[in-house]
Amino acid sequence: MNISVNAFGEFWQQRELMRMIAENMWATGDPGLLFVDNMLKYSPLRAEDEPRFSNPCGEYLASAGSACNLITVNAAKLARETFDEMVGAENAPAWCDSPQWSKDFCLRFWQRLAKTAGLACFLGNLVLEFDEGYPLPEIREKTQSIKPVGVGMSGFHTALLLAFRGRVDYGSEAAQKFARATQAYLTLGTLNVSAELADLTDHVYENKPYWSGHLKELSETISELSDDEEALTQLDILSDWVDSRGGFYNCLTTSQAPTGSVSVFLRNIDTGIEPFFALAQNRRVRDADKGWVE
């Protein structure tokens, strides 16, 4: 059942309603909440492609008649690789306790994340083009014409802990800045590959007003939070690309999904961008042959 509510500001003040929603989400995963006005406001889809439906998780409003194509980057694993690399350095004892640690860690981690996100975007496009699982030819045709690829991340909380050696709380101002920059680099990596694919194939999903504004926001975020000249140069190149071509190979390249089941397979304690509350957990997951497995 779908229910549309014109909530405005009063919605958040209804404490009894909010508690009922939260308790039922915890118990069953429902109800799902979609904030349609914001989803339309930030949608990378053109109006004629009808961004109007979503799966129950509500990652984004998808185009009518298209398929969902989500990929997850294991941010926890990339952060651990960065951590081990820095701890193994010759000057590690002094470095680990210095204020410079987090700044150096973040830049290395973000650059590693951008490269991995680019690879994920490329692999997502392979799935989009070669997957034989489209239920209808119309869905295949629509999906392959607009090419939606949603690269997200798993293990964000672990990355946050490693970046600041456990000294920054989830939800704090410092954590929010780290999250903004992490998402910016994830997006940058995917757009670099999407531009390369557009150049190779001459296929461009044009949406110049959206991408011009979005690239400006990415540039402002990276300039404020990382001061990474290489990344800023890449964004300038992408901005010039959009000015001349109007868009990218894909209609969108990122989508942050709730990745609980995927995280289990990737050996993450935390899920997507959500916090975790214990270092040891019991979980039940579906197995193709054995049903539920602890």
Side-chain angles (χ1 to χ4, degrees), residues 65-67 125-132 134 137-148 203 249:
S66 65
N125 277 291
L126 291 184
V127 172
L128 186 150
E129 292 297 332
F130 298 120
D131 182 19
E132 297 300 324
Y134 292 101
E138 294 84 356
I139 295 177
R140 176 194 292 275
E141 180 179 353
K142 179 66 174 182
T143 303
Q144 293 182 345
S145 67
I146 65 175
K147 305 187 185 304
H203 172 91
Y249 184 73

Side-chain angles (χ1 to χ4, degrees), residues 25-289:
M25 280 184 168
W26 181 260
T28 67
D30 290 315
L33 302 180
L34 299 181
F35 297 89
V36 178
D37 288 344
N38 269 347
M39 296 178 85
L40 289 172
K41 178 181 178 181
Y42 296 107
S43 174
L45 293 170
R46 300 184 302 247
E48 62 263 31
D49 287 315
E50 300 179 287
R52 68 182 187 184
F53 87 92
S54 171
N55 64 23
C57 296
E59 291 89 20
Y60 75 105
L61 286 184
S63 178
S66 65
C68 188
N69 186 23
L70 302 176
I71 308 100
T72 297
V73 173
N74 189 344
K77 184 175 186 294
L78 299 179
R80 183 68 204 204
E81 291 174 356
T82 304
F83 184 90
D84 291 344
E85 176 184 273
M86 292 177 62
V87 168
E90 292 182 3
N91 59 345
W95 195 359
C96 291
D97 292 324
S98 72
Q100 189 67 19
W101 164 275
S102 293
K103 183 176 181 180
D104 291 343
F105 180 100
C106 288
L107 185 56
R108 293 185 185 207
F109 166 67
W110 288 331
Q111 291 175 341
R112 183 174 263 136
L113 179 70
K115 291 179 181 178
T116 307
L119 175 61
C121 182
F122 177 73
L123 294 176
N125 277 291
L126 291 184
V127 172
L128 186 150
E129 292 297 332
F130 298 120
D131 182 19
E132 297 300 324
Y134 292 101
L136 295 172
E138 294 84 356
I139 295 177
R140 176 194 292 275
E141 180 179 353
K142 179 66 174 182
T143 303
Q144 293 182 345
S145 67
I146 65 175
K147 305 187 185 304
V149 171
V151 179
M153 77 181 91
S154 179
F156 170 78
H157 196 179
T158 295
L160 174 68
L161 291 175
L162 291 173
F164 296 96
R165 300 184 64 78
R167 299 187 179 107
V168 168
D169 293 334
Y170 188 98
S172 65
E173 183 178 353
Q176 292 178 45
K177 290 181 177 180
F178 178 75
R180 286 174 56 206
T182 299
Q183 182 62 53
Y185 274 88
L186 184 86
T187 304
L188 172 60
T190 62
L191 292 181
N192 280 333
V193 168
S194 192
E196 291 178 11
L197 290 172
D199 194 33
L200 287 170
T201 64
D202 206 31
H203 172 91
V204 176
Y205 182 89
E206 294 187 20
N207 195 356
K208 186 175 179 179
Y210 171 84
W211 286 115
S212 294
H214 193 54
L215 287 169
K216 184 175 182 291
E217 291 177 3
L218 290 175
S219 183
E220 290 172 352
T221 296
I222 290 179
S223 178
E224 174 192 352
L225 301 176
S226 76
D227 195 26
D228 181 353
E229 292 300 327
E230 181 181 350
L232 293 174
T233 298
Q234 292 173 6
L235 285 167
D236 287 340
I237 294 172
L238 292 176
S239 295
D240 291 341
W241 167 270
V242 167
D243 284 342
S244 62
R245 301 297 300 274
F248 293 94
Y249 184 73
N250 306 98
C251 67
L252 77 155
T253 61
T254 60
S255 181
Q256 185 53 55
T259 52
S261 298
V262 175
S263 297
V264 174
F265 303 142
L266 296 177
R267 299 182 181 180
N268 287 347
I269 291 176
D270 48 331
T271 54
I273 58 173
E274 303 89 348
F276 64 82
F277 299 96
L279 293 176
Q281 298 179 0
N282 290 328
R283 281 188 174 173
R284 298 174 69 238
V285 295
R286 294 287 297 193
D287 183 276
D289 299 320

